[in-house]
Amino acid sequence: MVISESFVSRRHCEIKYVPGEEDSESKFYLRDIGSTTGTFVMVRQEVLLKSNLMFQMGLSEFKIVTTSKRSMIELQVFEGPARNRIIPVDDYGLEIGRDPNNSFCVQEDS
């Protein structure tokens, strides 16, 4: 999926999956990876992603939706150019930005 968005950096952020031990819960983390505008109120360190947490990149707002699968979450595009789209995130994680080498590419709008 591609979102046209000029306020998103070429390498903006990533979502990383960390499997839980036998008795602990699996987790997803959001980390800014060098954006110029920040992610979720200028976050520069990892943030534990929980259901219904929202974060913003440029004009796009994303909402975390947990799934029945332990190693998967979904990003619901809540506001912005791709509003109402769903982006699945599995245990491989997701890199987000304008760089076409990211696993989720955000195109600059014209």
Side-chain angles (χ1 to χ4, degrees):
M1 177 193 305
V2 174
I3 297 176
S4 294
E5 173 73 76
S6 60
F7 293 103
V8 175
S9 297
R10 290 185 59 76
R11 292 188 34 81
H12 200 102
C13 67
E14 70 178 356
I15 294 175
K16 182 174 60 172
Y17 172 73
V18 178
E21 301 293 323
E22 287 181 30
D23 58 346
S24 67
E25 195 175 310
S26 299
K27 298 174 179 148
F28 284 88
Y29 288 92
L30 171 69
R31 181 171 71 105
D32 191 284
I33 54 175
S35 74
T36 56
T37 57
T39 304
F40 189 64
V41 193
M42 299 299 285
V43 165
R44 297 288 183 206
Q45 296 182 15
E46 287 185 341
V47 173
L48 177 61
L49 299 180
K50 296 182 179 184
S51 187
N52 295 319
L53 179 102
M54 296 184 71
F55 67 95
Q56 181 176 349
M57 289 183 299
L59 301 174
S60 297
E61 290 182 32
F62 300 86
K63 180 179 179 180
I64 304 301
V65 179
T66 55
T67 67
S68 59
K69 189 173 180 185
R70 182 177 160 164
S71 62
M72 177 172 274
I73 59 172
E74 293 176 340
L75 299 181
Q76 176 188 6
V77 184
F78 198 74
E79 290 291 340
R83 185 177 183 181
N84 296 326
R85 294 205 181 162
I86 302 289
I87 305 157
V89 182
D90 61 15
D91 55 348
Y92 289 105
L94 188 72
E95 288 186 347
I96 303 170
R98 289 193 340 255
D99 189 319
N101 294 320
N102 289 315
S103 46
F104 181 73
C105 181
V106 178
Q107 287 185 334
E108 185 170 359
D109 52 357
S110 11

